[in-house]
C-alpha cells in the first residue's frame, strides 16, 4: 500500500478479518498485458476499481 497512513493498514487488516469479508480474488482481477492497456480504457468496467499490468506478458 502506498500513500496511506499506518492506521489505514490496520483498518484494512481489521476489515479483512471480519466474517464474510471479501477475499483477494473477490477484489482483484488477473494482470493484463501492457499491449491491452489502451483497449481497457475504452471498455472500462465500473466494478473493477484497479487493475494490475504485466509489462512483459
Amino acid at each position: 500500500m502506498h500513500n496511506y497512513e499506518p492506521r489505514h493498514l490496520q483498518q484494512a487488516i481489521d476489515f479483512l478479518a471480519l466474517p464474510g469479508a471479501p477475499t483477494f480474488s473477490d477484489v482483484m482481477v488477473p494482470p493484463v498485458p501492457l499491449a491491452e492497456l489502451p483497449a481497457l480504457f475504452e471498455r472500462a468496467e465500473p466494478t473493477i476499481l484497479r487493475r494490475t499490468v504485466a509489462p512483459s506478458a
Side-chain angles (χ1 to χ4, degrees):
M1 292 175 56
H2 62 86
N3 298 334
Y4 300 98
E5 295 178 18
R7 65 185 171 91
H8 296 131
L9 179 56
Q10 186 60 56
Q11 290 170 342
I13 292 169
D14 293 343
F15 172 74
L16 293 173
L18 293 173
T23 64
F24 187 78
S25 61
D26 289 336
V27 296
M28 292 295 295
V29 294
V32 295
L34 184 59
E36 292 181 22
L37 197 56
L40 291 176
F41 286 107
E42 294 173 12
R43 56 178 171 83
E45 299 174 45
T47 59
I48 299 174
L49 302 179
R50 289 190 175 184
R51 285 197 179 264
T52 55
V53 177
S56 60

